[in-house]
Amino acid sequence: MRKIAVFASGSGSNFQAIVDAVEAGELQADIELLVCDKPGAKVIDRARHFGIPTYSFLPKTFASKADFEKEIVSELQSYGVEFIVLAGYMRLVGEVLLKAYEGCIINIHPSYLPAFPGKDAVGQALKANVAETGVTVHYVDSGMDTGPIIEQVRIPVLPGDTEQTLQQRIQKAEHQLYPAIINKLLQKDTVGGILH
Ligand code: GRF
């Protein structure tokens, strides 16, 4: 079974969907660790509930991103983690993690990239008055939501949508898409190079 870590900063509904898929036998993976950069985040309670170990840290207590990423890498290695799933981790991944897990870090973003990268993708889509937005799963590189795209789905923006209603529609799609894609990637032979 492939050993994965999930990185999250907030509510963790995608984390929950991943855990549920593992429990249901739909995702063949061992979730070894939750990494969280917000010690009070709700996602930590979710991990505790399922007995999943958590590494939480306060970035501002470290001198640099490289310093906290070195600690993260040593935590990941102590659990034998092979693959990293970002699920609402509100931070750019730096050199140290990218080098240690090259081609083995993926992210989910609530837009049809390259449209609306970065923060508040749902608000950006509403402001732009588009008829469709989407969800994208992509490999992580040093840019902001710029890595190679793995899978995308389109989501309609409906008349009268608010950030809340649109986000709910997007998250529903995310919760189905992400565990399925993770499972597909982990079934491939290679870990340690880009899994296409
Ligand atoms: C998701 O919409 C994801 O696309 C984005 O951050 C959000 C995290 O939500 N990267 P949650 O914490 O999984 O509920």
Side-chain angles (χ1 to χ4, degrees):
M1 201 82 94
R2 290 277 160 77
K3 296 183 174 187
I4 70 171
V6 180
F7 285 36
S9 307
S11 135
S13 71
N14 279 281
F15 172 77
Q16 179 80 52
I18 293 164
V19 173
D20 289 347
V22 169
E23 301 239 313
E26 291 160 6
L27 167 51
Q28 311 290 316
D30 283 330
I31 306 170
E32 293 291 327
L33 188 65
L34 169 74
V35 174
C36 182
D37 61 342
K38 296 238 167 59
K42 182 173 170 192
V43 68
I44 293 175
D45 296 333
R46 295 189 197 255
R48 286 211 182 106
H49 179 77
F50 289 99
I52 295 169
T54 298
Y55 173 70
S56 68
F57 66 101
L58 263 179
K60 65 179 181 202
T61 60
F62 290 83
S64 67
K65 179 179 291 222
D67 282 351
F68 67 71
E69 287 198 344
K70 277 181 204 155
E71 278 222 15
I72 294 173
V73 168
S74 91
E75 281 290 322
L76 294 169
Q77 287 174 345
S78 75
Y79 284 94
V81 168
E82 302 164 273
F83 195 78
I84 297 173
V85 171
L86 307 187
Y89 182 65
M90 302 303 285
R91 198 165 282 284
L92 277 180
V93 173
E95 286 281 298
V96 171
L97 261 167
L98 285 171
K99 218 168 157 193
Y101 283 89
E102 201 182 346
C104 295
I105 310 177
I106 63 169
N107 181 42
I108 189 160
H109 183 76
S111 77
Y112 204 93
L113 289 171
F116 314 128
K119 285 189 179 156
D120 193 22
V122 178
Q124 290 184 55
L126 278 177
K127 268 187 211 114
N129 221 7
V130 288
E132 274 184 339
T133 181
V135 172
T136 303
V137 177
H138 64 93
Y139 287 104
V140 171
D141 64 12
S142 59
M144 175 82 85
D145 304 318
T146 50
I149 289 169
I150 300 165
E151 191 92 36
Q152 295 181 288
V153 294
R154 294 191 190 275
I155 309 285
V157 181
L158 301 178
D161 257 344
T162 61
E163 281 210 24
Q164 205 191 357
T165 58
L166 182 53
Q167 176 153 356
Q168 275 168 359
R169 193 173 311 119
I170 286 174
Q171 288 217 319
K172 198 170 169 207
E174 289 185 338
H175 299 161
Q176 287 175 350
L177 183 70
Y178 212 16
I181 297 296
I182 296 164
N183 193 48
K184 206 159 116 186
L185 292 172
L186 294 179
Q187 298 321 307
K188 304 211 176 177
D189 289 340
T190 332
V191 166
I194 286 203
L195 300 166
H196 278 299

